[in-house]
Amino acid sequence: MRCKDALQNNHPLGCFWLCLGALPLTEFVTETSADAVVFDAQHGLWDRKSLETAIGMVKDQMIPMVRLADGSRFAISSALDAGAEVVIVPLIETAEEAHNVVDWALYPPHGSRSGGGIRPLRDFPAYKEQADKTTVTALMIEAARGVDNLAEILKTPHLDMIFIGTGDLSLSLGLAPTEPAYEATIQDIKRQCEAANVSCGIFTATLQQAKARRDQGFSLVVIGDDITANRSYFSTQLTEFSAT
């Protein structure tokens, strides 16, 4: 399944979020039936070489997504050249930033992405034809300024998705996730996206949150992440061991 097809058909996507830069864990993820995997290059340990290898491991089984370190032209092109189908760009706060991201992610005539990369150059005409149809740009709204400018951000041509960064949004707004005003902001972002015909995804920290947000109609949710999975396993094992 391609991400664009899923978004256009309102098919919710569940992903695993990988931060540790561990290729064996990536291989474990490929054995699941998740729709997608996100490689976190902002807060995670992925470098260009390990990212290229990891994407090669998953690209035939699930949608490879990369949360970039930043919204620079270099970060965008590096992830796409490595084989990412979706780039998730953090801390978008203005319409100008949004326009630049989409422009740098797409080849002419819709953008100004440079041609290159190891995988693309094996058969560039075929790769470009495919990329023109499948590349997805997702902009993270995770700060008060981004919320304030969302109406203008949503006017960006060829924008595919807004992805709500729940942790940073809570910090920026000064609101706990349990406060009604915080949830109201989340739902307002989603409503604006729906009105603009732009998909809306959201970061979810637990399986229960992922199910709830999926049922609310969010396009992309996080089923689980490698940090939490490993930490909780070791903690649980020690607790059970100590209790015997």
Side-chain angles (χ1 to χ4, degrees), residues 25 33 221:
L25 283 177
S33 58
V221 298

Side-chain angles (χ1 to χ4, degrees), residues 48 105 121 156 198 231:
R48 173 60 187 270
L121 290 184
T156 306
V198 173
R231 184 179 60 213

Side-chain angles (χ1 to χ4, degrees), residues 81-149:
D81 288 350
E85 185 174 324
V86 181
V87 285
I88 303 173
V89 185
L91 296 167
I92 296 299
E93 299 184 351
T94 69
E96 180 181 6
E97 291 172 346
H99 173 82
N100 286 340
V101 166
V102 176
D103 180 66
W104 296 336
L106 302 179
Y107 288 119
H110 299 305
S112 61
R113 179 183 169 189
S114 172
I118 307 303
R119 287 195 172 102
L121 290 184
R122 288 184 299 185
D123 185 349
F124 186 72
Y127 172 82
K128 181 182 179 301
E129 181 180 4
Q130 177 89 331
D132 287 343
K133 298 175 182 176
T134 60
T135 298
V136 169
T137 53
L139 307 181
M140 293 192 73
I141 297 298
E142 48 188 343
R145 190 180 178 206
V147 174
D148 291 342
N149 291 326

Side-chain angles (χ1 to χ4, degrees), residues 150-151 153-156 159-160 162 189-199:
L150 181 58
I153 289 170
L154 286 168
K155 295 178 182 178
T156 306
L159 172 62
D160 299 295
I162 293 296
I189 293 171
K190 182 173 179 291
R191 282 192 294 271
Q192 289 192 58
C193 289
E194 290 172 344
N197 198 30
V198 173
S199 298

Side-chain angles (χ1 to χ4, degrees), residues 11 27-28 38 52 92 99 146 163 173 182 189:
H11 176 84
E27 185 174 351
F28 294 161
V38 176
E52 186 116 6
I92 296 299
H99 173 82
F163 189 80
L173 296 175
Y182 174 82
I189 293 171

